[in-house]
C-alpha cells in the first residue's frame, strides 16, 4: 500500500510540474532529495554500526543477560501464559532491552524471533482444541508484544538524535528528556490497555469453557 501511495505522490508531483511549467524545479527537487537521502543513509549507517557494536559488546559482557533477568518479572506480568523457561521470554527480553537502549534496528531480529516463538505457543494451545486459540489468528500474547514493541520505553533515542544532528540541530540530545517522558507514558498506556484486553479475553474463555 505504501508503495502505491509514494508512486501516486511522485506521479502527481511530476504531472503538476508539467502542467504548471515548473519541471526544472521538479528535476532539481529530485536531485536534491536523492543527495539528502544518501547523506542521511551514510549518517545512520555509521551510528547504527557504532551502537550495534556496543550492543554486541554488552551481550558478550553479559550485560544483556542481566538486564533480561531484571525484566523477567515484567515479562511474566505482561505474558502470564508463557512459561518462565520458554524461548519466547528470552527473545522478548532482548527485544525490550534493545528498544530501551534506542536500538530499534537491533531489536528487530529479536522481535521476529519472539513472534515465531509466540506463534509456537499459539500452535500448542490450538492443539488442545481450545476455542479461544485458533491457528492463524494472533493471540493475546502476540498482540501484547506488538503493542509493547511499538510503544517501547527509550532511554536513549538514538535515531531521533541522529536525525536532529543530520539536519543541523544545535543540541541534538536535547530531545532525550522529552523522549523518555513520552515513551514512559506510551509504554504505561500500552501496558494498561494490553492487561485490560487480556483480562477480557480470559473472561470470555472461561465463559466458553463453562458452557
Amino acid at each position: 500500500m505504501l508503495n502505491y501511495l509514494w508512486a501516486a505522490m511522485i506521479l502527481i508531483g511530476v504531472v503538476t510540474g508539467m502542467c504548471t511549467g515548473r519541471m526544472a524545479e521538479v528535476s532539481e527537487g529530485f536531485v536534491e532529495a536523492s543527495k539528502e537521502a544518501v547523506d542521511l543513509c551514510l549518517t545512520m549507517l555509521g551510528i547504527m554500526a557504532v551502537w550495534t557494536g556496543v550492543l554486541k559488546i554488552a551481550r558478550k559482557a553479559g550485560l544483556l543477560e542481566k538486564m533480561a533477568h531484571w525484566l523477567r518479572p515484567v515479562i511474566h506480568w505482561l505474558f502470564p501464559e508463557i512459561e518462565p523457561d520458554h524461548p519466547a521470554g528470552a527473545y522478548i527480553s532482548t527485544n525490550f532491552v534493545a528498544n530501551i537502549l534506542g536500538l530499534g534496528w537491533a531489536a528487530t531480529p529479536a522481535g521476529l524471533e519472539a513472534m515465531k516463538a509466540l506463534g509456537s505457543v499459539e500452535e500448542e494451545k490450538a492443539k488442545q482444541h481450545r476455542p479461544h486459540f485458533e491457528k492463524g489468528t494472533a493471540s493475546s500474547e502476540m498482540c501484547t508484544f506488538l503493542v509493547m514493541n511499538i510503544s517501547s520505553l527509550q532511554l536513549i533515542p538514538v535515531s531521533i538524535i541522529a536525525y536532529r544532528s543530520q539536519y543541523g540541530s544545535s543540541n541534538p540530545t536535547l530531545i532525550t528528556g522529552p523522549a523518555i517522558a513520552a515513551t514512559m507514558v506510551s509504554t504505561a498506556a500500552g501496558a494498561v490497555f494490553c492487561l485490560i484486553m487480556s483480562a477480557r479475553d480470559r473472561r470470555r474463555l472461561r465463559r466458553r469453557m463453562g458452557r
Side-chain angles (χ1 to χ4, degrees):
M1 178 58 72
L2 288 177
N3 290 336
Y4 292 117
L5 291 175
W6 282 112
M9 286 189 288
I10 293 173
L11 181 61
I12 291 172
V14 172
V15 172
T16 302
M18 293 175 61
C19 294
T20 57
R22 302 180 64 180
M23 278 302 297
E25 286 86 345
V26 173
S27 301
E28 183 179 351
F30 276 129
V31 173
E32 291 296 326
S34 301
K35 178 178 179 297
E36 185 176 343
V38 172
D39 291 340
L40 180 60
C41 288
L42 291 175
T43 300
M44 294 302 296
L45 178 62
I47 294 174
M48 181 176 66
V50 169
W51 282 101
T52 302
V54 170
L55 184 65
K56 188 174 183 179
I57 293 172
R59 181 181 292 109
K60 289 188 175 181
L63 180 60
L64 288 183
E65 287 75 8
K66 290 183 179 179
M67 294 184 70
H69 179 73
W70 296 337
L71 285 175
R72 280 185 181 177
V74 178
I75 301 300
H76 179 69
W77 179 56
L78 290 171
F79 306 92
E81 296 196 21
I82 296 178
E83 297 295 331
D85 57 345
H86 196 279
Y91 291 128
I92 292 172
S93 298
T94 303
N95 176 268
F96 282 6
V97 169
N99 275 323
I100 289 172
L101 297 177
L103 307 176
W105 46 78
T108 300
L112 294 175
E113 292 297 330
M115 275 295 186
K116 290 181 182 178
L118 291 173
S120 67
V121 174
E122 168 76 1
E123 291 179 2
E124 292 172 3
K125 292 175 179 177
K127 290 178 181 178
Q128 298 175 5
H129 302 288
R130 295 169 63 181
H132 182 66
F133 297 100
E134 298 178 0
K135 189 174 181 180
T137 302
S139 64
S140 295
E141 289 80 12
M142 298 173 75
C143 294
T144 297
F145 175 70
L146 182 61
V147 171
M148 298 307 300
N149 184 60
I150 294 173
S151 63
S152 175
L153 169 67
Q154 286 194 7
L155 299 180
I156 309 174
V158 177
S159 299
I160 302 301
I161 292 174
Y163 288 135
R164 286 170 58 85
S165 176
Q166 174 69 20
Y167 291 107
S169 173
S170 59
N171 189 359
T173 59
L174 189 63
I175 194 66
T176 302
I180 293 174
T183 54
M184 285 180 64
V185 173
S186 66
T187 301
V192 171
F193 174 79
C194 290
L195 290 172
I196 291 174
M197 297 303 292
S198 295
R200 188 190 68 173
D201 289 343
R202 286 194 293 270
R203 286 196 299 269
R204 286 181 177 178
L205 177 59
R206 286 195 295 268
R207 286 197 298 266
R208 290 181 181 180
M209 293 180 68
R211 292 178 185 176

